[in-house]
Amino acid sequence: MEEQDKILNDVTQGEYKYGFVTAIETDIIEKGLNEDVIRLISAIKEEPEFMLNFRLEAFRKWQKMKMPNWAYLKIPPIDLQEISYYAAPKKKVQYESLDEVDPELIETFNKLGIPLEEQKQLAGVAVDAVIDSVSVKTTFKETLAEKGVIFCSFSEAVREHPGLVKKYLGMSVPVADNYFAALNSAVFSDGSFCYIPKGVRCPMELSTYFRINSANTGQFERTLIVADDDSYVSYLEGCTAPMRDENQLHAAVVEIIAMDRAEVKYSTVQNWYPGDKNGKGGIYNFVTKRGVCKGVSSKISWTQVETGSAITWKYPSCILMGDNSVGEFNSVAVTNNRQQADTGSKMIHIGKNTKSTIISKGISAGKSDNSYRGLVKIMPNAKNSRNFSQCDSLLLNNTCGAHTFPYIEVGNKSSVVEHEATTSKIGEDQIFYCNQRGIDTETAIGMIVNGYAKEVLNKLPMEFAVEAQKLLQISLEGSVG
Amino acid sequence: MLSIKNLYVSVEGMEILKGINLEVKPGEVHAIMGPNGSGKSTLANVLAGKEEYEITSGEVIYENEDLLDKSPEDRAKEGIFLSFQYPVEIPGVPMVNFLKTAVNEHRKYNGLKELTAGEFLKLMREKMDMVDMHPNLTNRSVNEGFSGGEKKKNEIFQMALLEPKLAILDETDSGLDIDALKTVAHGVNALRSPERSAIVVTHYQRLLDYIVPDFVHILYKGKIVKTAGKELALELEEKGYDWIKSENL
Ligand SMILES: Nc1ncnc2c1ncn2[C@@H]1O[C@H](COP(=O)(O)OP(=O)(O)OP(=O)(O)O)[C@@H](O)[C@H]1O
Ligand SMILES: [Mg+2]
């Protein structure tokens, strides 16, 4: 404690110097947010000056911003001064065997069909030699390196590839884009960086890797993906296994940049702790995800399956700058009990002949609220552009809410925007019909919900689609009757 | 097989079944007739385990066990099949998935190995031929956009797949053309055996020409007011319900 005070004093009163931080033994810095904390974070991470400046600019702008209140969400007050903004990678509880792990968690793992060895990793059981995650990672890295793909932690990218980071950071999501993005830009601890060189098709789904690493995701995560000309990558974030975290507030930023004819597929399965039945606990998830189709004929697609978090505030978007570029948003968002989600997408058409598709499938149960909010904006110069939006809501009872807030702005006459919306309800009659054929209620809901979400689930990488299907069913357990 | 004793059932505080007694022995076919709103579907639904009904007194024993204690899905897997008067549509759920799940849930419950996709498809085709189902229908979502008659055929098709011990057909003949009626009757008759029984709810004696019942009951205002052999149906066809109504004022 004393030592920590001393360091803080040094930073706040003395001159900031690189390097001295290596001596720091403490894991966590004190609660609170001010410019000195920002400097300290940057110092601890031994960042070059452009990073510090990026953070400081974000912080200064953030100070003048207000928390957004336009979403259809009831957000309890969050005291940002009560948060500690830097924690060294946590030492997770280590168990000797799965027998020591919460049986409920194991049951969920089994329902999801997660292999035993992976269960151990996810639950924090000491792993034996069968899967050595380090060696798996190394194999990945070697394969990727052969192709010139850079895929590493954000910190490592700042150290090893500062030029790339400097060039692209903030290109999709400017520092002061919104309150939470600005906060993230100021304090983010780590995240991932991915660069696909010209003409390279990334040889693997960047997914398995993530499963192994997903346990370490931080509170303020930053992801930057750059796909250079004629490249392709499919990127998967998250994990179907339930994720808990003692930090209630999560504010991640994901930036994607696609150059000429590049394609990026970004898939998310979000299953953060949603809180208990009465809405106690649970993660507040405020995420900024944006891709810029910078090059001609480039393509960015967002596919998300959102089942977790107490509050979700998230609008993965595409800025279609290059002529003939394509943006896609495919989403299944489930809310149960007291969960609230306000999610959707923004498609900004700037280039000519740009195309975008929005498929949003909301599923509400319990006493939850599930909103779709989407903006389709076609700029005057974006001639011959098209958007198709399909927003469906499925209700499981009369106590939940589904809302749709579409905003459409078309700036020229040669473009076409189509919007379709439906609301339906799972009827007791449908459930009874299934029951009468020997199918229990949970399986019945699973079948109906998966049928409803099929169009989106089909866009997920194969092995994940199967898990996501089961996840939908599990998320809705006990939600009917 | 099935024994209903003094069964009283209410919905939303309104008494609908007022002391039903019915004994169905293995191999028997019972027809239930009666004017609209007399409680025929209510009885069928209660046997299948639909929730909204309150059983105020009485008991139902099925294969020596208390039926009313069991969940609808367990009743189904123990051999009770209800052919619905109004089969519901389930958009997004392909027939094939639905049927395969249903068949395999039955098999699991009864300690049999689950069918593989291939085995199931073979079984499905066989039964489809039997009830003359158009192959296209199984590629669609459950009952979605099916015509009235197709929905009814689909019920019988499912019955053929699940081979119930006790089939309850609630006006399966309504809305069928004469050929379809014969096919449906054929489907039911094909299942007839000394172990299997059926309760056939109908308004028309015509169906009973094809599915010949052992007993005909008349349900009126929540009570079985008359029970006789198959000739009772003919009598009803001739005279209508007025004589029943005047006898039970
Ligand atoms: N869920 C319900 N809520 C309110 N009333 C109901 C409900 N179910 C049945 N009833 C009422 O109970 C009575 C019996 O209905 P039921 O459907 O059993 O008649 P039925 O004999 O099958 O008639 P039909 O020949 O027209 O099919 C009717 O008056 C009906 O309105
Ligand atoms: Mg009826």
Side-chain angles (χ1 to χ4, degrees):
Chain A
M1 204 62 217
E2 221 170 87
E3 163 125 287
Q4 199 175 310
D5 284 347
K6 188 173 154 289
I7 291 162
L8 260 180
N9 277 340
D10 278 357
V11 173
T12 48
Q13 286 149 27
E15 285 282 24
Y16 162 73
K17 291 186 214 76
Y18 282 117
F20 83 117
V21 282
T22 34
I24 291 181
E25 298 283 343
T26 43
D27 280 350
I28 294 182
I29 62 173
E30 270 186 14
K31 289 174 181 172
L33 186 55
N34 54 52
E35 209 168 297
D36 300 321
V37 168
I38 311 279
R39 287 179 188 280
L40 180 59
I41 293 169
S42 195
I44 292 170
K45 301 179 72 66
E46 300 182 59
E47 290 179 344
E49 204 166 341
F50 84 87
M51 280 302 301
L52 176 64
N53 291 339
F54 179 84
R55 291 177 184 279
L56 287 175
E57 187 195 343
F59 179 69
R60 286 173 193 145
K61 290 187 170 157
W62 175 78
Q63 280 181 305
K64 299 195 191 88
M65 300 171 88
K66 278 209 171 62
M67 185 143 137
N69 61 3
W70 41 259
Y72 195 90
L73 298 170
K74 285 191 207 78
I75 305 170
I78 304 166
D79 188 350
L80 294 171
Q81 297 300 337
E82 270 302 298
I83 294 172
S84 168
Y85 286 86
Y86 183 85
K90 271 164 280 170
K91 282 184 216 86
K92 297 205 15 179
V93 197
Q94 279 278 336
Y95 301 102
E96 287 303 310
S97 82
L98 275 179
D99 300 340
E100 298 168 37
V101 178
D102 181 3
E104 224 175 276
L105 187 65
I106 299 297
E107 205 187 309
T108 312
F109 282 156
N110 286 332
K111 283 185 190 164
L112 286 167
I114 293 173
L116 208 63
E117 284 308 319
E118 264 186 73
Q119 289 191 14
K120 288 184 182 172
Q121 296 201 352
L122 292 163
V125 175
V127 189
D128 45 50
V130 182
I131 292 186
D132 172 5
S133 63
V134 176
S135 72
V136 173
K137 270 189 246 177
T138 315
T139 325
F140 277 134
K141 282 218 140 175
E142 279 167 8
T143 318
L144 293 174
E146 267 169 41
K147 297 266 181 182
V149 173
I150 302 169
F151 183 40
C152 59
S153 74
F154 204 95
S155 311
E156 193 181 327
V158 170
R159 277 197 308 275
E160 309 286 329
H161 312 281
L164 284 174
V165 174
K166 192 173 176 188
K167 183 168 171 196
Y168 293 107
L169 181 65
M171 190 179 268
S172 294
V173 182
V175 284
D177 182 79
N178 68 68
Y179 183 83
F180 295 107
L183 178 64
N184 174 288
S185 302
V187 304
F188 74 90
S189 37
D190 212 332
S192 311
F193 176 81
C194 176
Y195 175 80
I196 318 292
K198 287 193 169 112
V200 170
R201 237 192 116 80
C202 186
M204 60 183 79
E205 305 260 7
L206 297 181
S207 63
T208 319
Y209 182 94
F210 257 81
R211 277 278 283 269
I212 291 162
N213 279 272
S214 54
N216 303 320
T217 48
Q219 187 178 10
F220 299 100
E221 231 191 322
R222 186 104 194 174
T223 305
L224 176 57
I225 300 169
V226 181
D228 217 326
D229 296 350
D230 302 292
S231 67
Y232 167 85
V233 64
S234 165
Y235 194 94
L236 196 122
E237 169 211 9
C239 180
T240 51
M243 300 284 287
R244 286 187 183 244
D245 192 285
E246 66 246 39
N247 300 310
Q248 192 160 42
L249 174 69
H250 279 237
V253 170
V254 177
E255 295 186 90
I256 300 178
I257 292 119
M259 308 305 278
D260 287 350
R261 296 167 302 276
E263 179 177 353
V264 179
K265 275 175 77 168
Y266 191 103
S267 313
T268 307
V269 175
Q270 187 266 116
N271 189 18
W272 289 104
Y273 181 54
D276 67 10
K277 279 207 158 53
N278 303 313
K280 235 175 101 56
I283 303 287
Y284 301 167
N285 201 19
F286 298 89
V287 186
T288 305
K289 290 185 165 173
R290 191 172 309 140
V292 180
C293 284
K294 214 168 149 35
V296 297
S297 304
S298 54
K299 178 173 176 183
I300 293 177
S301 61
W302 301 99
T303 302
Q304 60 173 21
V305 175
E306 301 275 321
T307 59
S309 298
I311 296 176
T312 302
W313 181 100
K314 181 175 180 187
Y315 317 91
S317 305
C318 297
I319 299 181
L320 305 172
M321 277 173 67
D323 290 349
N324 306 311
S325 58
V326 178
E328 257 182 34
F329 172 73
N330 305 294
S331 168
V332 178
V334 178
T335 55
N336 196 359
N337 299 318
R338 297 277 180 174
Q339 280 177 279
Q340 311 176 63
D342 193 299
T343 180
S345 181
K346 283 194 271 188
M347 294 290 173
I348 315 289
H349 294 249
I350 298 172
K352 294 183 185 49
N353 306 315
T354 46
K355 257 203 298 205
S356 66
T357 315
I358 293 176
I359 309 281
S360 162
K361 304 269 181 181
I363 301 167
S364 333
K367 295 184 170 161
S368 66
D369 266 305
N370 201 332
S371 305
Y372 165 81
R373 185 182 304 278
L375 169 69
V376 176
K377 185 171 184 164
I378 299 196
M379 305 298 277
N381 285 332
K383 299 268 160 44
N384 294 314
S385 292
R386 297 186 77 91
N387 163 268
F388 174 74
S389 303
Q390 170 84 48
C391 304
D392 298 328
S393 309
L394 183 67
L395 303 170
L396 268 65
N397 61 24
N398 295 320
T399 54
C400 57
H403 321 273
T404 311
F405 305 99
Y407 306 88
I408 298 169
E409 296 169 31
V410 185
N412 64 56
K413 289 216 167 72
S414 56
S415 296
V416 183
V417 172
E418 286 174 89
H419 179 93
E420 286 175 13
T422 67
T423 301
S424 47
K425 199 177 162 239
I426 296 190
E428 278 161 36
D429 284 0
Q430 293 173 320
I431 302 288
F432 181 62
Y433 191 83
C434 296
N435 290 161
Q436 214 303 304
R437 301 305 186 239
I439 301 167
D440 65 43
T441 301
E442 250 137 46
T443 311
I445 290 176
M447 284 194 325
I448 295 171
V449 162
N450 280 315
Y452 168 79
K454 194 161 44 191
E455 206 180 335
V456 172
L457 296 179
N458 284 346
K459 310 256 177 181
L460 288 173
M462 248 300 272
E463 74 275 19
F464 248 74
V466 177
E467 276 183 29
Q469 239 182 48
K470 291 184 198 150
L471 177 62
L472 288 188
Q473 190 170 333
I474 291 169
S475 311
L476 291 167
E477 249 170 35
S479 59
V480 160
Chain B
M1 158 162 293
L2 180 76
S3 162
I4 304 174
K5 291 194 185 114
N6 212 20
L7 184 68
Y8 284 78
V9 173
S10 312
V11 164
E12 287 164 11
M14 203 172 43
E15 195 160 75
I16 293 170
L17 298 184
K18 301 166 187 170
I20 300 279
N21 289 288
L22 183 66
E23 191 76 35
V24 179
K25 297 211 170 65
E28 291 178 351
V29 171
H30 291 241
I32 297 183
M33 304 181 81
N36 294 133
S38 56
K40 303 180 297 296
S41 294
T42 303
L43 177 61
N45 285 333
V46 165
L47 293 177
K50 195 161 188 198
E51 245 178 36
E52 66 218 49
Y53 300 96
E54 192 197 342
I55 287 117
T56 47
S57 72
E59 63 172 7
V60 179
I61 306 294
Y62 172 70
E63 304 224 291
N64 306 317
E65 284 176 355
D66 182 356
L67 181 72
L68 300 177
D69 264 0
K70 297 187 178 179
S71 68
E73 57 270 28
D74 283 354
R75 297 182 199 195
K77 288 179 284 196
E78 284 174 21
I80 293 185
F81 179 91
L82 172 59
S83 167
F84 287 83
Q85 183 173 2
Y86 304 110
V88 60
E89 303 192 358
I90 314 181
V93 177
M95 280 286 292
V96 180
N97 290 9
F98 176 80
L99 297 172
K100 180 163 172 270
T101 310
V103 167
N104 278 335
E105 290 294 327
H106 275 72
R107 293 182 65 93
K108 262 195 289 187
Y109 191 85
N110 294 303
L112 298 169
K113 207 173 113 303
E114 290 181 50
L115 296 184
T116 62
E119 289 165 340
F120 173 75
L121 287 176
K122 190 162 164 280
L123 176 71
M124 192 178 83
R125 274 190 217 109
E126 192 182 298
K127 302 294 182 183
M128 241 157 49
D129 286 345
M130 191 172 126
V131 298
D132 199 21
M133 273 273 283
H134 197 282
N136 276 350
L137 292 178
T138 50
N139 295 331
R140 288 168 39 187
S141 293
V142 178
N143 290 322
E144 196 183 27
F146 286 28
S147 76
E150 285 167 346
K151 282 183 184 166
K152 295 297 176 79
K153 264 198 195 173
N154 190 20
E155 296 293 287
I156 297 306
F157 168 51
Q158 293 177 48
M159 184 185 79
L161 271 172
L162 297 172
E163 302 186 325
K165 287 187 202 144
L166 174 63
I168 305 166
L169 311 187
D170 191 357
E171 294 198 29
T172 304
D173 53 335
S174 301
L176 289 182
D177 64 44
I178 192 74
D179 290 341
L181 185 76
K182 282 185 196 163
T183 334
V184 162
H186 170 67
V188 175
N189 287 330
L191 272 184
R192 280 188 91 156
S193 79
E195 297 85 48
R196 295 181 207 282
S197 315
I199 297 175
V200 180
V201 174
T202 181
H203 285 295
Y204 307 105
Q205 113 82 20
R206 201 181 51 181
L207 177 70
L208 304 180
D209 283 342
Y210 301 105
I211 307 172
V212 183
D214 299 294
F215 299 93
V216 176
H217 309 274
I218 296 174
L219 186 61
Y220 179 60
K221 290 192 174 167
K223 279 190 191 137
I224 290 179
V225 293
K226 205 166 185 67
T227 296
K230 62 176 194 251
E231 65 287 349
L232 179 56
L234 281 167
E235 198 176 344
L236 273 179
E237 185 102 330
E238 239 168 73
K239 299 203 246 169
Y241 286 110
D242 281 353
W243 59 288
I244 297 287
K245 288 181 185 165
S246 56
E247 270 177 27
N248 289 279
L249 277 178

